[in-house]
Amino acid sequence: MRPLITLLTDFGTADGYVAEMKGVLYSLAPEARVVDLSHEIAPQDVESARLAVARYWRRFPPQTIHLVVVDPGVGSSRAALAVRSEDRVLIGPDNGALSPALLVAGARAVSLAVPAAASPTFHGRDVFAPAAARIAMGAPIDALGAAAESPVIRRTPEARRLGTGAIQGEVISIDRYGNAITNIVAFPATQTRDGEQAFVEVSGRTIPVARAYADVQPRGAVAVCGSSGLLEIAVREGNAAQSLALVRGTTVTLHNAPRGLSFARNEP
């Protein structure tokens, strides 16, 4: 089976950076299949890269090689990593973007050597792509470097239960639709506490929790269980981030959640 390499970067597609990386991959591992996941991560936004990785890395089949290059520390003393976790390999800078794989029991990480000839501004081409190609050609992860000591791990902040029984969390990401994803674990909208409708308070608004976007009128605000399993705030056929002035870190409070709802979550 041909090796599969995925690419996630903040490079965009207007310049030749992605093409250069692909040129290296196909030159060193000509049988590989290279899949573009996204090159639209906001520039230097490591947290968005981490959350994206959390969504997709286990959706691909075992032996997939995930190449993640969102690297504001390129050229600095930050380490370069290759991580084997759940029969997949993730390669990228040691800045927390690879945390979802590092958090899995049994994960192993090695530090990649940076060649003297590597550009201090483009490790994606000169360090990470060659490492991915070596793995694609059958090299074991241990052949790429020595065990990494204390790789950087980022975690999603946990929501907390208030004395009133409400759950307080925050917006952790805004998607391209303007939906605000929170760190509150979601639940079926049919589940309520003592028969009371669940709702969220955010930006001075009270917003109902429903099953789907279509459960409210167009331009209506709603909170739903998103596909990631987290509560998200949306405006049907609109942009919640713009309409409600939501940004990463905005406080969100959930009321009337079912009793016993597990609200602590470290991943994504």
Side-chain angles (χ1 to χ4, degrees):
M1 185 174 179
R2 295 170 59 195
L4 177 61
I5 302 172
T6 73
L7 292 179
L8 179 77
T9 77
D10 60 351
F11 295 164
T13 55
D15 305 299
Y17 305 130
V18 174
E20 284 191 87
M21 288 182 60
K22 287 184 176 182
V24 171
L25 291 170
Y26 283 126
S27 294
L28 299 178
E31 296 302 315
R33 294 171 294 161
V34 179
V35 176
D36 293 290
L37 301 185
S38 177
H39 302 295
E40 302 304 325
I41 297 294
Q44 295 91 47
D45 192 344
V46 174
E47 186 64 7
S48 287
R50 179 184 73 87
L51 292 170
V53 169
R55 290 188 67 104
Y56 73 73
W57 76 280
R58 280 183 283 202
R59 299 287 184 183
F60 283 79
Q63 310 312 320
T64 297
I65 303 158
H66 294 302
L67 188 51
V68 181
V69 188
V70 177
D71 193 12
V74 64
S76 71
S77 61
R78 69 98 183 91
L81 294 181
V83 180
R84 177 167 285 281
S85 184
E86 293 198 351
D87 293 325
R88 296 160 181 85
V89 174
L90 292 85
I91 296 173
D94 184 21
N95 59 15
L98 308 184
S99 297
L102 288 165
L103 285 166
V104 176
R108 292 189 299 114
V110 300
S111 293
L112 307 176
V114 177
S119 167
T121 66
F122 201 176
H123 285 186
R125 180 193 64 195
D126 297 340
V127 179
F128 302 127
R134 288 186 64 188
I135 294 292
M137 294 302 290
I141 189 173
D142 293 322
L144 271 61
E149 297 183 4
S150 302
V152 174
I153 292 180
R154 290 173 175 247
R155 297 175 183 266
T156 298
E158 292 183 355
R160 62 190 184 97
R161 194 177 295 278
L162 304 178
T164 61
I167 296 173
Q168 188 173 85
E170 64 186 68
V171 174
I172 60 172
S173 180
I174 305 290
D175 71 13
R176 72 182 302 269
Y177 296 99
N179 299 334
I181 294 88
T182 77
N183 62 339
I184 300 173
V185 175
F187 57 92
T190 54
Q191 296 182 13
T192 61
R193 189 174 71 197
D194 301 331
E196 298 290 332
Q197 170 68 48
F199 65 93
V200 299
E201 285 185 296
V202 61
S203 296
R205 293 277 300 272
T206 298
I207 298 172
V209 176
R211 184 187 65 85
Y213 310 119
D215 289 344
V216 297
Q217 294 297 314
R219 306 301 174 181
V222 65
V224 300
C225 175
S227 60
S228 64
L230 297 172
L231 196 72
E232 65 180 59
I233 299 163
V235 168
R236 180 181 172 184
E237 300 172 28
N239 186 306
Q242 293 178 2
S243 299
L244 303 172
L246 305 178
V247 296
R248 189 183 292 168
T250 296
T251 298
V252 178
T253 306
L254 171 65
H255 297 270
N256 295 337
R259 297 185 189 279
L261 176 68
S262 174
F263 60 92
R265 184 186 180 102
N266 275 325
E267 227 213 309

